[in-house]
């Protein structure tokens, strides 16, 4: 079964600083990879995904992520944090041909003015 | 607009009672999913269904039941056998065929917060 590791349950970043959230997965073949964002008491919204093709993926709200097969990683970045980026972020993976998602435990991002 | 609706948004239950959470989608998606979210635990899969009248257990199905009588609807019943039901419950759906930019993506509803008194 797939597993996803997100280190650091709470991440503090200064407004205007780089946002970096790490995601590592376990899989013998390249899976489908996703980052979702969740605002308080709401559902999840897709930020970006990797399925095939270019390994650097751009998403909404200025976020991007890079798939690195050799490192089994899919880290999420944003060059300059904004107060509106305060939310919880989840990395998720699914095997090709599998209709289930496995989620990491999430990163709660706090943006410091 | 197409989307997923969950009701109610907040639900309170007394110990020993069964309660049913509603999930409806008008996206014409084939598959539907129920997740449970607890602080610091991420999302854990309870049940999922890929076709009407069929469903499969996820990782934490004990104490829960579902039905899929219509493609649009996938209600979740939290039974009295669920020992710690207080949590945030999320429903999701996705297409299983057809390609396109949203293929492989699960779309989420707004969630139901269940509290056992």
């Amino acid at each position: 079964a797939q597993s996803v590791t997100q280190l650091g349950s709470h991440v503090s970043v200064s407004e205007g600083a780089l946002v970096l959230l790490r995601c590592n997965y376990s899989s013998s073949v390249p899976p489908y990879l996703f980052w979702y964002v969740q605002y308080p008491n709401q559902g999840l919204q897709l930020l970006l995904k990797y399925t095939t093709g270019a390994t650097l993926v751009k998403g909404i709200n200025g976020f991007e992520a890079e798939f690195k097969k050799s490192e089994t990683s899919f880290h999420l970045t944003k060059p300059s944090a904004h107060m509106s980026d305060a939310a919880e972020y989840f990395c998720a993976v699914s095997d090709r041909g599998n209709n289930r998602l496995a989620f990491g435990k999430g990163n709660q991002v706090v943006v410091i003015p | 607009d197409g989307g997923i609706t969950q009701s109610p948004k907040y639900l309170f239950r007394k110990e020993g009672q069964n309660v049913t959470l509603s999930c409806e989608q008008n996206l014409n998606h084939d598959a539907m999913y129920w997740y449970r979210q607890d602080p610091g635990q991420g999302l854990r899969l309870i049940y999922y269904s890929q076709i009407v009248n069929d469903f499969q257990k996820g990782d934490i199905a004990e104490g829960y039941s579902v039905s899929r009588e219509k493609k649009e609807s996938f209600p979740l019943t939290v039974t009295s056998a669920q020992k710690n039901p207080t949590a945030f419950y999320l429903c999701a759906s996705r297409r299983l065929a057809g390609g396109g930019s949203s293929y492989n993506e699960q779309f989420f509803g707004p969630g139901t917060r269940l509290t056992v008194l």
Side-chain angles (χ1 to χ4, degrees), chain B residues 18-116:
Chain B
N18 292 355
V19 64
T20 297
L21 282 58
S22 169
C23 178
E24 303 276 335
Q25 55 98 0
N26 61 3
L27 300 168
N28 198 32
H29 284 175
D30 307 288
M32 298 185 74
Y33 306 80
W34 274 107
Y35 294 91
R36 172 179 170 141
Q37 184 179 14
D38 297 281
Q41 295 294 316
L43 276 71
R44 293 181 289 168
L45 182 64
I46 305 172
Y47 270 99
Y48 65 106
S49 167
Q50 301 183 86
I51 193 170
V52 173
N53 293 324
D54 189 41
F55 46 83
Q56 290 78 39
K57 292 182 179 180
D59 301 317
I60 56 166
E62 185 176 351
Y64 300 96
S65 65
V66 293
S67 63
R68 186 90 187 274
E69 296 178 2
K70 299 186 301 181
K71 187 176 183 179
E72 303 79 20
S73 179
F74 191 41
L76 173 74
T77 296
V78 184
T79 75
S80 56
Q82 170 49 235
K83 296 191 183 337
N84 185 19
T86 294
F88 191 52
Y89 291 87
L90 287 160
C91 179
S93 70
R94 62 159 285 185
R95 289 189 292 121
L96 295 181
S101 61
S102 66
Y103 183 62
N104 293 316
E105 178 185 342
Q106 286 191 19
F107 291 77
F108 284 81
T112 292
R113 186 166 297 282
L114 173 63
T115 302
V116 174

Side-chain angles (χ1 to χ4, degrees), chain A residues 3-7 22-26 75 91 103-105:
Chain A
S3 69
V4 181
T5 302
Q6 292 181 248
L7 296 178
R22 301 178 187 274
C23 174
N24 290 88
Y25 64 90
S26 66
H75 302 333
C91 181
F103 284 86
K105 294 189 174 183

Side-chain angles (χ1 to χ4, degrees), chain A:
Chain A
Q2 288 277 11
S3 69
V4 181
T5 302
Q6 292 181 248
L7 296 178
S9 60
H10 286 76
V11 175
S12 294
V13 59
S14 297
E15 190 176 15
L18 171 72
V19 179
L20 169 60
L21 303 180
R22 301 178 187 274
C23 174
N24 290 88
Y25 64 90
S26 66
S27 176
S28 59
V29 295
Y32 296 133
L33 298 157
F34 306 84
W35 275 99
Y36 284 89
V37 61
Q38 184 182 35
Y39 298 99
N41 290 312
Q42 294 186 24
L44 274 65
Q45 179 183 7
L46 183 71
L47 272 179
L48 48 79
K49 64 180 179 182
Y50 170 79
T51 56
T52 188
T55 56
L56 181 62
V57 180
K58 294 187 185 298
I60 63 171
N61 302 340
F63 284 92
E64 63 182 36
E66 186 171 12
F67 167 57
K68 292 188 176 180
K69 180 180 176 181
S70 62
E71 299 177 7
T72 60
S73 70
F74 191 55
H75 302 333
L76 180 72
T77 60
K78 181 175 180 177
S80 177
H82 191 272
M83 296 301 293
S84 61
D85 295 326
E88 190 155 22
Y89 294 80
F90 293 96
C91 181
V93 301
S94 71
D95 286 326
R96 294 170 190 272
N98 184 329
N99 297 320
R100 294 178 48 161
L101 280 177
F103 284 86
K105 294 189 174 183
N107 295 118
Q108 184 69 52
V109 172
V110 175
V111 181
I112 302 167

